[in-house]
Amino acid sequence: QLADANGWAATRRGTVIPCPSCRKESRVAAPTPVAAFGVGDEVYALWGHRWYPGVVDEVLEDGYEIAWDEEDASNEIPAARVRARVPVQPVPAPTNTPEPPAAPGTDASAALRTLALQAHAREQAAANSGSAP
């Protein structure tokens, strides 16, 4: 009701507010929805320029009291600067199953060895035939 009395109008894309000085209307972005956390929830909170792990110690009107994991201190943090801490999922260890044996004729190193032996045999045959009187 107060918004209507002041000339404000809520829309899907924000709130239209008249300037108190010139009465020109301008659009103000709608507030971003914030996740709700309860006491004891593990979260990350933005303090300065870095996200720190903590636990919600108290729910306040416009934010949370965050108890830091690495210190014996807590601070009031606005709700927009708090996000959920996603639990780390363990990666399953690879199983040590032996690989099936390669099919005959598919081993590349064996094929290279065979070609090298054949080339060496041809060179020996050529050398022996050229040195015979």
Side-chain angles (χ1 to χ4, degrees):
Q1 296 171 350
L2 180 61
D4 293 336
N6 289 331
W8 297 8
T11 67
R12 288 187 315 200
R13 295 183 295 162
T15 304
V16 177
I17 301 175
C19 174
S21 300
C22 67
R23 303 311 253 169
K24 180 179 177 184
E25 290 185 347
S26 61
R27 187 176 308 278
V28 177
T32 306
V34 179
F37 300 106
V39 174
D41 288 349
E42 294 183 345
V43 296
Y44 285 111
L46 184 62
W47 184 258
H49 298 286
R50 190 167 166 219
W51 292 91
Y52 291 95
V55 176
V56 175
D57 198 34
E58 183 181 350
V59 178
L60 308 172
E61 185 176 319
D62 59 345
Y64 304 97
E65 182 75 22
I66 303 296
W68 306 110
D69 283 359
E70 299 167 0
E71 297 182 19
D72 291 332
S74 64
N75 295 96
E76 288 185 20
I77 305 293
R81 294 183 176 197
V82 178
R83 65 183 182 191
R85 194 180 333 174
V86 179
V88 177
Q89 297 294 329
V91 177
T95 57
N96 290 333
T97 57
E99 292 190 22
T106 59
D107 186 11
S109 61
L112 288 175
R113 276 195 303 271
T114 303
L115 288 175
L117 288 173
Q118 289 172 352
H120 181 68
R122 280 194 300 271
E123 289 174 2
Q124 289 295 327
N128 288 340
S129 65
S131 61

